Structures are given as C-alpha cells and as structure tokens.
Amino acid sequence: MKLQEALHKLKEQGVRLTPQRQEVLRILIEEAGGEEHLSAEEIWRLVRKRYASISFDTIYRTLNLFVRCGLASELDFPDGCRRFEFAGNGHHHHLVCLKCGRAEELAFCPEDCLIRAQFEKPGFKITGHAFKIYGYCPKCQQVSDGSSHHS
Amino acid sequence: MKLQEALHKLKEQGVRLTPQRQEVLRILIEEAGGEEHLSAEEIWRLVRKRYASISFDTIYRTLNLFVRCGLASELDFPDGCRRFEFAGNGHHHHLVCLKCGRAEELAFCPEDCLIRAQFEKPGFKITGHAFKIYGYCPKCQQVSDGSSHHS
DNA sequence: TCCTAGATCAGAATTATTCCTATGTACCAG
DNA sequence: CTGGTACATAGGAATAATTCTGATCTAGGA
C-alpha cells in the first residue's frame, strides 16, 4: 500500500519516522484520498484527533520536509493559503473554483510547452511547471452570485 | 499613449482619478515597462518618491481596484508575496527563477488545453488560467548553489 | 464654489508561516 | 536491551503580507 511505500522512501532518505510525521503522511494519503487538497490548518485539525498536542510548527515543518523529499506537492490556490497533496498519484494540474476553492484534477498537461520554453529561453534550467485553470464549478454557478459578481 | 488610455478606461468605469491612483498606474506602465513584476512594497517605494505620505493600504486598495477593473494582473510567484503587472500588454505566461524570483514572459500559451478542459469537465465555467514554468535563470546557475541544492 | 460619496492616512488587527528554546525521542552503537 | 545524542517537538513569540478601523480629506458633479 502507498503509505508503506512512502514511509520506506522517507527512511531511505535518512529521515526519522516520528509518529507525527507518519500521521501527517497517512492523512495526506488516506483522508485526502486524491479528492481534497488540504490546507495546513485542515491537516492540523485532522492530526490533532490522534495527537492532540501537535503544534502548527510541526505541521509546517513536516509538510515542507515532505515537499523536499518529493512526497508532497504544494499548491497555491488563490484563497490566501497553501494547500498540500500527496505526490504519489502522478503528475497533474488543476481546475480551481474561484468561489469555493475546491480543485479538480486534470488528466492532461501542457508539457509540449516546456520544449517550446526551452527553445525560446535556452539558458534557463527548467525544473518544474504549474498549470491552473480558474472558473466556477457547477455548484457555485447555481448560487446567485457565483457567475454575476464583478468585484 | 497607454497611460491616457488606461486613465480613460478607469473614468468610464466611474472610478475616481486621484493623484495616488494615477501615480500607481503610471508606475505600473512606465517604471515597470513590461520588464519587471513589482511587489506591493516595490510599488510603494516608487510612489513615495512623489507622494511621500502614501500608505500601504492605499497601494493595496489601488492595486486590487486595478485588478477588478482589468487594468492590472496579479501574479503569485513562490517568494511569498503577490506581484502586479499592467494588463495592457497582452496575455502571456511566465518563466520564473526559483532563486532570484525574476520572471520572464513567454510568447506562447497552452490555450488548446482550455478546450480540452471544457470537454473533460463540461459544467465548469472557465474564466481564466495561469501557466508558470519554474527553474533557474542563467545568472543564478552560475552562483554555486543555484543548481545543486535539494531544499 | 459647495457638498458629499468615496478616498486617504496612520496605525492597529488579522492571518499564514517561521523562529526560538527548552524538552522529548528515534535510532544507532555497544 | 540500553544509553547517548543528534535531531524533532511543543508552545509561544516573531515576522511579514495584507486588510480593517475611524478620523480626516478631496474629486468631481450640482
């Protein structure tokens, strides 16, 4: 199962497997289940169920560690806080609702653009990319101001 | 000239033309000149040259106003603060250096992806999109740790 | 020129994230 | 299995970007 693989990957990199780290990882994989993109605060709330005294600092340090180790991806949606997802479900991009903040995953990726970029700016060493499409999800279009407010 | 057009556009929308707003707009157009992507603080510093007592609040309110009016675009680069650019130079995307934070503009856009997204998620009302390529610019690759740190 | 809705200023408040330091613990060597 | 230590954690303070508040000012129409 994914959690075991991920724990193994951490160990390989010489990272200590504290119970807090394991629980954060478990939540990223199981609670989020490829469906939600959790903010640090949401993760903190979930971890607190088992580790009532875990600090915000530990959540952030752990998430940043996971990002560095390639186990998590950081998503900056336009609602003021970073969100995180497990990185073991393959590379993908997002369709983000500007009202409710929820994100759906997209099955395609503009990777041909990387080649074009490499051609256009030869000296630049490309390490990653992000593609986001913004708009309003079906649910938020039904609510009165989902599609009609200009502010 | 662009500044006049932009001021006219603001007036059309019933927005008051205060000297502070005109100066912020002038800076976005002239000082930035399609080359830099300015943070609120950088803009504040530049406006202070002429309006020494302008407040941060006014800068932010003005920039948010310009974004709402379609005169400015908001860019969230991964260095912790939003940056702004004049929106009258056409639609484009960015190649962002992870070390120095500088961004270059790209001449192409993965717009065909929007059609694919529309096909894949029919109920979603698309209003915009963002594409960013990350990496290290030639200058930052020369500095020792530009290409070799894993953090 | 006068009035007033809306803008500005100054600083306090808010929010996300990181830093600090004393204490706790994972895990390697013995 | 046990002890030592390098690294992790908790808790709270610090930082930094952005927004709010309330008093004062002003752009632009009458």
Side-chain angles (χ1 to χ4, degrees):
Chain A
M1 120 217 263
K2 280 177 182 169
L3 184 51
Q4 293 310 320
E5 285 171 43
L7 289 173
H8 182 72
K9 200 168 170 184
L10 277 179
K11 205 151 203 173
E12 273 183 347
Q13 303 193 35
V15 169
R16 283 197 191 168
L17 296 186
T18 67
Q20 292 92 334
R21 286 176 177 174
Q22 293 185 46
E23 179 65 2
V24 170
L25 194 49
R26 192 189 65 75
I27 282 165
L28 279 178
I29 294 173
E30 296 178 11
E31 306 262 344
E35 189 252 313
E36 289 291 356
H37 306 85
L38 302 169
S39 68
E41 198 195 335
E42 287 161 345
I43 293 168
W44 179 69
R45 269 202 253 277
L46 291 169
V47 177
R48 265 167 64 94
K49 288 183 186 173
R50 291 201 185 166
Y51 296 92
S53 70
I54 195 166
S55 70
F56 244 95
D57 186 46
T58 298
I59 298 292
Y60 276 109
R61 257 183 308 100
T62 302
L63 290 169
N64 288 335
L65 173 74
F66 289 173
V67 169
R68 287 200 304 275
C69 293
L71 282 174
S73 308
E74 195 179 331
L75 311 166
D76 52 322
F77 292 160
D79 62 343
C81 68
R82 288 185 291 161
R83 293 175 176 275
F84 297 85
E85 68 180 357
F86 179 56
N89 298 318
H91 175 77
H92 57 258
H93 298 290
H94 295 94
L95 191 59
V96 185
C97 178
L98 291 169
K99 189 133 204 293
C100 67
R102 293 292 153 86
E104 297 185 58
E105 297 182 0
L106 294 170
F108 54 84
C109 164
E111 45 198 337
D112 51 314
C113 289
L114 300 187
I115 298 163
R116 297 176 67 176
Q118 199 65 85
F119 186 75
E120 194 177 297
K121 314 275 183 186
F124 207 99
K125 183 180 164 201
I126 292 174
T127 62
H129 65 287
F131 180 53
K132 265 170 280 175
I133 298 181
Y134 301 111
Y136 296 96
C137 69
K139 205 178 289 174
C140 288
Q141 286 173 56
Q142 286 162 19
V143 189
S144 60
D145 59 340
S147 60
S148 64
H149 80 315
H150 287 196
S151 70
Chain B
M1 123 214 263
K2 280 178 182 170
L3 183 52
Q4 293 310 318
E5 285 171 43
L7 289 172
H8 183 70
K9 199 170 170 183
L10 277 179
K11 205 152 202 171
E12 272 182 347
Q13 302 192 38
V15 169
R16 282 197 192 170
L17 296 185
T18 67
Q20 290 92 334
R21 287 177 176 174
Q22 293 185 48
E23 180 66 1
V24 170
L25 194 50
R26 189 190 68 75
I27 282 166
L28 279 178
I29 296 174
E30 296 180 9
E31 306 264 343
E35 189 250 313
E36 288 292 355
H37 306 86
L38 302 170
S39 68
E41 197 192 339
E42 286 162 346
I43 293 168
W44 178 68
R45 269 203 255 277
L46 291 168
V47 177
R48 265 167 65 94
K49 288 183 186 170
R50 289 201 186 167
Y51 296 91
S53 69
I54 195 165
S55 70
F56 245 95
D57 185 49
T58 298
I59 299 291
Y60 275 109
R61 259 183 305 100
T62 302
L63 289 169
N64 287 336
L65 173 75
F66 289 173
V67 170
R68 286 200 305 277
C69 293
L71 281 174
S73 307
E74 195 179 332
L75 312 166
D76 51 324
F77 291 159
D79 63 343
C81 70
R82 288 186 289 163
R83 292 174 177 275
F84 296 86
E85 68 179 359
F86 179 55
N89 298 320
H91 175 76
H92 58 258
H93 297 289
H94 295 95
L95 192 60
V96 185
C97 178
L98 291 170
K99 189 135 205 292
C100 67
R102 293 293 152 87
E104 296 185 57
E105 298 182 0
L106 294 170
F108 55 84
C109 164
E111 44 198 337
D112 51 316
C113 289
L114 300 187
I115 297 163
R116 297 177 68 175
Q118 199 66 82
F119 187 74
E120 194 177 299
K121 313 275 183 186
F124 207 101
K125 185 181 162 198
I126 292 173
T127 62
H129 66 285
F131 180 54
K132 266 170 281 177
I133 297 180
Y134 300 112
Y136 295 95
C137 69
K139 206 177 291 173
C140 288
Q141 284 173 58
Q142 285 163 18
V143 189
S144 59
D145 59 341
S147 60
S148 64
H149 79 316
H150 286 197
S151 67

